Amino acid sequence: MEQTLIILKPDAVKNKHVGHILSRIEQEGFNILALKKVHLKDKEAKKFYEVHKARPFYKDLCKFMVSGPVVVAALEAPGAVEKWRKLIGATDPAQADANTIRKLYAESKEANAVHGSDSEKNAKNEIKFFFSKDELKGKL
Ligand code: CMP
C-alpha cells in the first residue's frame, strides 16, 4: 500500500467541487486516511512550495494558496502517487485528458483545482506537513 497527499485548492473549494472530487476519490478506489479543511498562512504556503521558490510563478502561487480555505487529505491505494497524478491530469487543464479532475474542475494552470505529491518520498513529507502524529495514529 502507498500513500499520497492531496490538496483541493481554493478554487475547488470556492466553486463547491469538494463533494464531487471526494466522491470521485472513493469511486476510484482510494482510501481516505485523513482529511481536513484548513486556511493556510502565508508562511505555511511558502514553506510547502519551497521547492518552487526560484520559479517565476512562486509568489503568485503562494498568494493564490492563501486566498481561501483548502481541503487536504492523505489517500491510500496501491501505487497511490501515480494513480492520483493520472486521475488529476496535466498541470494545465487545457492539456489535461478528458474526464481527469483538472479537465473537469480546474480554471487555469494556477487555479488548477488539486495538488498531488510527485513521489513517494515527498508524499511522506507532505503528509507530515499537514497531519500530526496523533491525526495519523495507526494509519500509516
Ligand atoms: P501543484 O501540483 O500544486 O504544484 C505546483 C504548482 O505550481 C502547480 O500545481 C501549479 O498550480 C503551479 N504551476 C506550475 N506551473 C505554473 C505556471 N507556469 N504558471 C502558474 N502556476 C504554475
Side-chain angles (χ1 to χ4, degrees), residues 9 49 52 55 57 61 91 102 109-110 112 114-116:
K9 295 187 181 184
Y49 280 117
H52 296 301
R55 311 287 285 273
F57 55 82
L61 173 64
T91 303
R102 283 175 173 155
K109 231 188 242 181
E110 181 182 81
N112 64 352
V114 284
H115 164 82

Side-chain angles (χ1 to χ4, degrees), residues 24 28 86-88 96-104:
R24 181 79 184 272
E28 298 285 344
K86 199 162 172 230
L87 177 61
I88 63 180
D97 289 341
N99 209 31
T100 57
I101 290 176
R102 283 175 173 155
K103 185 54 128 192
L104 292 172

Side-chain angles (χ1 to χ4, degrees), residues 12 16 33 57 59 64 67 76 88 95 106 121 131 139:
K16 305 209 178 289
L33 293 177
F57 55 82
K59 216 171 146 199
F64 169 65
S67 67
E76 184 173 69
I88 63 180
Q95 313 285 330
K121 183 170 171 274
F131 295 101
K139 292 175 187 158

Side-chain angles (χ1 to χ4, degrees), residues 63-77:
K63 210 169 147 193
F64 169 65
M65 291 302 289
V66 303
S67 67
V70 300
V71 172
V72 293
L75 304 185
E76 184 173 69

